Amino acid sequence: MSNLLKGRDFVSLNDFTTEEIWQIVEMARSMKLRMRSGIMDRPLEGKTLGMIFTKPSTRTRISFEVGIWQLGGVGLFLSAEELQLRRGETIEDTARVLSRYLDGIMIRTFDHQDVVDLAANSTIPVINGLTDLLHPCQAASDILTIWEKFGRVAGIKFAFTGDGNNNMVHSLLFAGAKMGMDVRVASPEGFQPEPSIVQDAQALARKTGARILVTKDPVEAVRDADAVYADVWTSMGQEESKDQRLTTLMPYQVNADLWEHVAESAIFMHCLPAHREEEVTGEIIDGPMSVVFDQAENRLHAQKAIMALTM
Ligand code: CP
Ligand code: NVA
């Protein structure tokens, strides 16, 4: 298969075709199986990935750092606090300078536009490790998990309930629309996904056979769902509105009552970190339906595929 991803940025799943997303997911699966049988591919021997963080991380940092090392390269953790960025050096200049040293950049930050600007001014691939708007690495990994659990992705009934104006929801809308899934998002007034992203997803869905539903009713969203997804109600940077979020979003909690409506053998998904008894009860996230640690593991495999293909 020819690699059309070489040199590309990985900023939004909307920048990739269905076939390209499948290329990532299939490579991730094959690397995972080869690793399990003791074979380590090292296509990035001698390459360096810079990893800029202006927000905390457990999974993203460790899976990228371990992933680049397993591929034969090296990862450099770059805390934004210690870069000249913090003292006013522009994103554009940072991009030009880092392009002279590194072979790829992974960035996690607040403003999505900063990642767009970094990518526009870099001559090396830029990978989005989460912004306030999108979290494409997690969504790509989640497609791998869904494929592994069900043996297919198209036609899967996928529901999200909670804060819909959320980076995970936005990336899952693109992922689902590209992959032909039936994506339902339930959230209250004021917490609905960005209308422009819903419109883009609906336009894509018309081509792929996906279906997109945005509703205020959590039961409507999860009815007969194969997979139910939750994320924290207070994302990084939203701590000031935590109390209001807890009250408004409580009817959207994934709990045993809501689980009455899902399909038999449905799975529960969460990008983690989770807050038990807020967006999900312990009996669901720690129950047999939960695949959250498989999702966390798949970050490693999916990101290795993204790095191997783009860098
Ligand atoms: N799911 C995820 O991105 O986790 P971290 O915030 O720990 O990286
Ligand atoms: N929506 C969450 C995702 C964490 C991986 C946040 O942005 O904090």
Side-chain angles (χ1 to χ4, degrees):
M1 200 189 316
S2 63
N3 177 14
L4 299 173
L5 277 75
K6 184 104 189 134
R8 297 259 298 274
D9 300 309
F10 189 80
V11 172
S12 166
L13 284 176
N14 198 21
D15 301 333
F16 294 87
T17 64
T18 304
E19 292 69 30
E20 288 167 343
I21 298 171
W22 268 119
Q23 193 176 354
I24 293 168
V25 172
E26 281 172 359
M27 179 183 268
R29 175 79 186 146
S30 121
M31 281 180 160
K32 179 174 178 175
L33 295 178
R34 285 163 67 78
M35 187 171 141
R36 293 239 163 116
S37 61
I39 305 164
M40 278 295 197
D41 302 294
R42 292 169 67 85
L44 298 185
E45 195 84 56
K47 301 225 172 176
T48 308
L49 177 78
M51 309 186 299
I52 304 176
F53 284 89
T54 70
K55 284 177 174 174
S57 168
T58 297
R59 279 142 291 268
T60 305
R61 176 175 176 183
I62 297 166
S63 55
F64 266 105
E65 201 159 330
V66 170
I68 183 76
W69 178 80
Q70 290 182 352
L71 292 170
V74 63
L76 274 186
F77 175 72
L78 306 169
S79 163
E81 272 301 292
E82 290 156 32
L83 294 174
Q84 293 288 6
L85 258 178
R86 187 177 66 86
R87 296 182 59 253
E89 185 166 21
T90 65
I91 289 275
E92 291 77 5
D93 285 354
T94 304
R96 293 177 191 122
V97 171
L98 294 185
S99 296
R100 302 290 179 111
Y101 302 132
L102 302 170
D103 302 289
I105 302 171
M106 194 288 308
I107 177 165
R108 162 170 289 195
T109 194
F110 293 86
D111 188 350
H112 187 74
Q113 190 59 42
D114 284 347
V115 178
V116 172
D117 293 343
L118 188 75
N121 291 279
S122 295
T123 56
I124 54 176
V126 170
I127 300 172
N128 177 359
L130 178 147
T131 64
D132 289 347
L133 190 71
L134 298 174
H135 195 2
C137 289
Q138 180 73 50
S141 313
D142 294 338
I143 294 296
L144 170 60
T145 307
I146 289 169
W147 184 39
E148 288 179 335
K149 299 297 171 192
F150 297 102
R152 67 194 171 98
V153 178
I156 290 296
K157 298 189 188 75
F158 177 93
F160 181 98
T161 147
D163 174 14
N165 193 266
N166 160 293
N167 41 21
M168 267 329 311
V169 173
H170 296 149
S171 280
L172 290 166
L173 278 167
F174 284 140
K178 294 266 176 180
M179 306 306 275
M181 284 165 45
D182 180 354
V183 184
R184 304 95 168 256
V185 179
S187 41
E189 193 68 45
F191 291 86
Q192 299 213 309
E194 286 299 319
S196 67
I197 291 185
V198 175
Q199 275 169 20
D200 287 352
Q202 279 165 340
L204 285 166
R206 282 191 282 277
K207 294 186 210 150
T208 62
R211 288 199 293 187
I212 307 292
L213 171 78
V214 176
T215 172
K216 294 196 177 75
D217 180 359
V219 173
E220 182 186 17
V222 307
R223 191 171 290 125
D224 299 322
D226 301 303
V228 176
Y229 203 110
D231 185 11
V232 290
W233 288 341
T234 305
S235 284
M236 291 178 275
Q238 300 177 330
E239 290 73 13
E240 274 182 15
S241 53
K242 183 168 193 282
D243 292 346
Q244 184 230 335
R245 289 168 170 277
L246 273 177
T247 319
T248 314
L249 291 164
M250 197 44 92
Y252 294 82
Q253 183 186 64
V254 182
N255 53 32
D257 286 345
L258 194 66
W259 208 259
E260 294 283 311
H261 304 278
V262 306
E264 210 184 314
S265 62
I267 59 172
F268 173 73
M269 303 181 76
H270 193 306
C271 56
L272 304 178
H275 289 176
R276 284 171 178 73
E277 312 314 322
E278 292 184 17
E279 72 272 8
V280 59
T281 56
E283 65 183 323
I284 300 290
I285 193 171
D286 298 317
M289 61 288 265
S290 176
V291 301
V292 299
F293 299 109
D294 296 323
Q295 290 176 259
E297 179 189 335
N298 280 340
R299 293 292 301 280
L300 173 68
H301 308 298
Q303 289 159 192
K304 281 172 73 178
I306 292 165
M307 288 189 279
L309 288 163
T310 60
M311 284 170 65

